[in-house]
Amino acid sequence: MRRTTAPDPLTIAPAQARLLHLAAQGLLLAPRAAATPARLLAAIARMQLLQIDTINVVARSPYLTLFSRLGDYPTAWLEQALARGRLFETWAHEACFAPMADFDLHRDFRGGRANHWAMRHAARIRDSHRRETDALLAHVAERGAVRSADFARTDGEGGAGWWGWKTEKRWLESLFGTGELMVSRRENFQRVYDLSERVLQAAAKHRIERAPQTPQAVKQEWIARSVKALGLTPARWIADYFRLGRQIGSDELEPLLVRGEIVPVRVSGWDKLAYVHAEHLPLARRAAAGSLRATHSTLLSPFDPVVWDRLRASALFEFDYRIECYTPEAKRRYGYFVLPILRRGRLVGRLDAKAHRRDGVFEVKAVFLQDGVTADDALAADVANAIRQCADWHETPKVTLGRSEPGGFAAPLRRALRASAGQAWRRRDGSAQ
C-alpha cells in the first residue's frame, strides 16, 4: 500500500503574515456596519480575552480595544454585558473579560495557572488570612454583593496595586482569585463582588456547562485558541496569550496537528514553522496568494492583544513597543499612555494623547513616526482620521497637536486635522451622507 504524504505547507510572505494576524484580530478592514451589543460580544469572542486596565488618560483600555475594532459605540455596553452574564472576569493573560460560555474552561484551568503572579498572591492572602477572608465570605453570603468602597479605610494609606489596597480590597481580590467570589457587575468601573454560585446561577443561560477536565486537557484548548486568535504564529508566541507557562513544545502541538485543528505554514525568512488554525485556512490561502489587503486605520490601546508580546510586535511589525506608564517619568522615551498607530496594516508610529472631557479637548501631546515611514499627505490624512474618530467618540471635538517627530510631519497633520474637523461637522449636521 502506497504511503501518503502531507502536502507541502503554504508559504506566506512576511507582510501577508502580518495582515493575517490583523484579520484574525478584527483589525484588517475598517468597520462596515454600525456597532451593536452583539458585535461587541463577537469582538471579544474573536480575541478570546479583553484585558482590563483602569488607567483613564484617553479611555480605559478595554473600551479603547473595542473602539479600535468597532468604531463609535457606547462604553456602557461592556458593563451591561457583564451585568447580564454574557461576560465574566478572570485572571488569564492578565485581568480580563472573557465570554461566559468559556467559564468552565477557565475554572478547570485554575490549577494550570497557579504560577501566575496574581493567583500566587491570592492563594497566599487566603492562606495567611483564613479567619478574616472566611468572615468576609460569610458577610457576602448573608448580606449580598459588596464593593471595596463599602468598607471604610482605617490605615490612612493608599496607592496602586495589591500593596496599596485596603485590607478588605485585598481579601476580596484574594477570594476572586481563588474563585470563591466573582464580579457580578461594575459601578463606575469599580468591581462589585458576589458569591460565585449566585453569579453563575444568574448567568446560567449564557454558560456552556462542560464535564470537568484536567488542566492538561484545557491547555490543549487554549493552545488551539491562541493560534486562532493570533491568526498565524510560531510555537514561541503561543504560551503568552493565555499565560500557559513555558514555551509550547512539539509534543503539545502534535495532537492538534494530527486532529487537523492547526496546520503548519511557512513564512518567508522565518527559521521555524508557523501554525494557522483550521478555521483560518481560507485566510491563509489568500495570504499565500498575496491577496489580503488592509483598509483600517485606528489608534490602539497599550494593552491591545496586537502589542501584548513585545517580541511578537517586533517580529511582525518591526515595532518595538514598551508600555511606559509603569516606567519612571525620567526614563520614558515617548510618554505615559502612548497609543500605537495602526495604518492600513502597519504600525506606523505612536501617539501620546490625553482626553480632556470637561473641556471637550483631545490633546495630542506628541506624535512619533517609525523610522522609514514616509511622512506624506496620504499618511497625514489617515492618521488625522484615526485621531478624529477617537476624539469624536470621546465627545472631545477640539483636537490640539503638540510636537511631532519628525518635525516636518506636524504641518501636513495639522492640515489634515482641520479638514477632518469639517468632514466630522458635515456628518453630524447630516448635510453630507
Side-chain angles (χ1 to χ4, degrees), residues 422-433:
Q423 293 165 5
W425 182 87
R426 287 193 295 274
R427 284 194 298 272
R428 287 193 296 270
D429 185 56
S431 56
Q433 298 295 329

Side-chain angles (χ1 to χ4, degrees), residues 50 52 63 92 94 123 149 169 183 195 249 274 278 299 309 323 412 428:
L50 176 62
I52 301 167
Y63 300 144
E94 287 295 329
K169 173 64 173 175
V183 178
L195 297 182
L299 306 180
D309 186 328
I323 298 172
R428 287 193 296 270

Side-chain angles (χ1 to χ4, degrees), residues 28-35 39 69-71 286 293 295-296:
L28 184 68
L29 304 176
R32 295 177 177 176
R39 290 193 175 98
R69 289 154 176 79
L70 300 172
R286 288 177 59 196
R293 297 288 182 269
T295 64
H296 194 30

Side-chain angles (χ1 to χ4, degrees), residues 22 71 92 121 124 141 144 160 254-255 290 322 326 391 426:
L22 292 173
H121 199 77
R124 186 163 58 247
E254 186 63 23
R322 179 179 179 180
Y326 304 118
R426 287 193 295 274

Side-chain angles (χ1 to χ4, degrees), residues 58 299 334 337 339 341 350-356 361-368 383-384 386-388 390-391 396 398-405 409-410 413-414 417:
V58 177
L299 306 180
Y334 297 106
F337 197 76
L339 313 181
I341 304 170
R350 57 202 90 198
L351 201 75
D352 183 15
K354 181 177 176 62
H356 302 273
V361 174
F362 192 87
E363 178 189 10
V364 179
K365 298 179 180 180
V367 60
F368 307 88
V383 173
I387 294 170
R388 175 64 56 196
C390 191
T396 51
K398 182 179 179 181
V399 178
T400 63
L401 176 62
R403 66 191 181 95
S404 167
E405 292 185 16
F409 187 54
L413 182 56
R414 283 196 176 95
L417 284 167

